[in-house]
């Protein structure tokens, strides 16, 4: 086991982890942050996307020890005082989801995209989300939601 200290959603978390523990399982199983989902475990689907020091990463591709001393943001951090964040609200209003399994990853990837490019074109949105797969094929409404979130900002 190895001790790590990670700032997760603004709170410092200290824990002992197996060196081989994936970041996603540290978040889900040790911290109970189950909003981040595991769709494939093989870096293909993006459902496990979180922000690491503000950059979107697939949390099944990294180890918890690699987050030591860094800041992780998960979907749980977005709403505050019972109010959805603008990106969450846009996904809700534009029905950018069907089963919802890919949605946390789509939303975190969108937060990252809009942080870098506040007014993306449809092509830029589709390119930014190409690492995030929606098995329900809800892409049309997802793109609409991202465009709406961009205009709301
Ligand atoms: S669970 Fe991480 S990319 Fe699919
Ligand atoms: S909404 Fe079902 S996988 Fe995307």
């Amino acid at each position: 086991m190895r001790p790590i200290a990670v700032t997760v959603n603004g709170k410092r978390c200290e824990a002992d982890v197996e060196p081989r523990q994936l970041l996603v399982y540290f978040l889900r199983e040790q911290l109970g942050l189950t909003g981040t989902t595991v769709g494939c475990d093989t870096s293909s689907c993006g459902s496990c996307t979180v922000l690491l020091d503000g950059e979107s990463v697939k949390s099944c591709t990294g180890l918890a020890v690699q987050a030591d001393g860094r800041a992780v943001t998960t979907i749980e951090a977005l709403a505050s005082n019972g109010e959805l964040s603008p990106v969450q609200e846009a996904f809700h209003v534009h029905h950018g989801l069907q089963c919802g399994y890919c949605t946390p990853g789509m939303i975190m990837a969108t937060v990252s995209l809009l942080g870098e490019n506040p007014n993306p074109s449809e092509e830029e949105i589709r390119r930014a989300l190409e690492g995030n797969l929606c098995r329900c094929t809800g892409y049309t409404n997802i793109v609409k939601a991202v465009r709406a979130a961009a205009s709301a900002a």
Side-chain angles (χ1 to χ4, degrees):
M1 297 293 260
R2 187 174 142 192
I4 59 170
V6 186
T7 301
V8 180
N9 298 338
K11 270 179 40 189
R12 183 180 162 90
C13 300
E14 293 179 6
D16 291 322
V17 296
E18 292 276 0
R20 64 183 178 181
Q21 174 79 298
L22 294 175
L23 177 58
V24 66
Y25 292 114
F26 170 66
L27 295 169
R28 287 179 55 85
E29 294 175 2
Q30 283 185 251
L31 302 186
L33 296 171
T34 53
T36 303
T37 55
V38 181
C40 67
D41 228 353
T42 54
S43 316
S44 306
C45 75
S47 76
C48 63
T49 302
V50 299
L51 305 184
L52 184 62
D53 290 338
E55 296 278 326
S56 68
V57 296
K58 293 177 178 178
S59 59
C60 76
T61 66
L63 299 169
V65 292
Q66 292 174 303
D68 187 21
R70 305 176 72 183
V72 174
T73 308
T74 71
I75 188 82
E76 283 89 350
L78 298 193
S80 72
N81 298 325
E83 299 267 321
L84 296 178
S85 71
V87 175
Q88 289 173 308
E89 183 65 22
F91 271 69
H92 171 64
V93 169
H94 294 275
H95 201 64
L97 60 131
Q98 291 180 52
C99 79
Y101 202 84
C102 70
T103 311
M106 288 287 182
I107 287 178
M108 297 313 287
T110 300
V111 169
S112 173
L113 166 66
L114 297 182
E116 288 165 15
N117 178 0
N119 190 21
S121 64
E122 176 169 344
E123 194 190 336
E124 288 168 329
I125 294 168
R126 288 185 183 274
R127 203 175 321 123
L129 296 182
E130 67 190 5
N132 291 71
L133 304 182
C134 176
R135 291 165 176 86
C136 300
T137 68
Y139 295 106
T140 298
N141 281 2
I142 288 169
V143 171
K144 269 190 209 159
V146 177
R147 288 174 71 92
S151 0

